[in-house]
Amino acid sequence: IAYTSSGCALMIVALVLLLNGGMDKSPSTFITAPVIRKTVATDRYGEQQYHLIVSSWRPGRSSEELSVGRGVFQRAAVGRNVAVEVHRGYFGYPWSGNILPQ
């Protein structure tokens, strides 16, 4: 029962997140945030993952971690701003789209 309940709960969360972005028709806004730190992590298969840590634009948070592609990572610089495309979300859960170094 525990495995079935956990599996169902996970599927519901995944469905809500998918629909939140997929059904969102609200206009996007661009927010600028300074890059605090850049990190590269290598997973167990040798693939590199690029992350930018920026100052948060949301209340109660000090930073946001954004997964980006290699090109964006290389163009972004610590101390410089990036523009983050933010969407409101169909169910009210904000999500980010494009990230553009400035």
Side-chain angles (χ1 to χ4, degrees):
I1 293 174
Y3 289 124
T4 303
S5 299
S6 298
C8 289
L10 184 61
M11 294 297 287
I12 290 170
V13 169
L15 183 62
V16 167
L17 292 176
L18 182 67
L19 292 175
N20 184 60
M23 295 175 59
D24 183 17
K25 303 293 185 221
S26 64
S28 61
T29 58
F30 278 91
I31 296 173
T32 59
V35 176
I36 299 170
R37 189 171 69 242
K38 296 168 59 170
T39 62
V40 178
T42 304
D43 65 15
R44 63 180 172 174
Y45 303 111
E47 296 290 324
Q48 292 186 323
Q49 300 171 358
Y50 302 95
H51 301 274
L52 298 176
I53 291 78
V54 300
S55 293
S56 181
W57 56 88
R58 298 188 288 176
R61 297 181 61 119
S62 61
S63 64
E64 303 283 342
E65 183 173 343
L66 306 171
S67 295
V68 296
R70 183 177 176 205
V72 172
F73 183 83
Q74 289 176 337
R75 290 191 316 261
V78 174
R80 308 255 336 245
N81 287 340
V82 292
V84 182
E85 180 183 19
V86 179
H87 300 267
R88 194 174 72 210
Y90 185 76
F91 297 118
Y93 301 114
W95 58 280
S96 62
N98 294 328
I99 300 164
L100 308 168
Q102 295 183 332

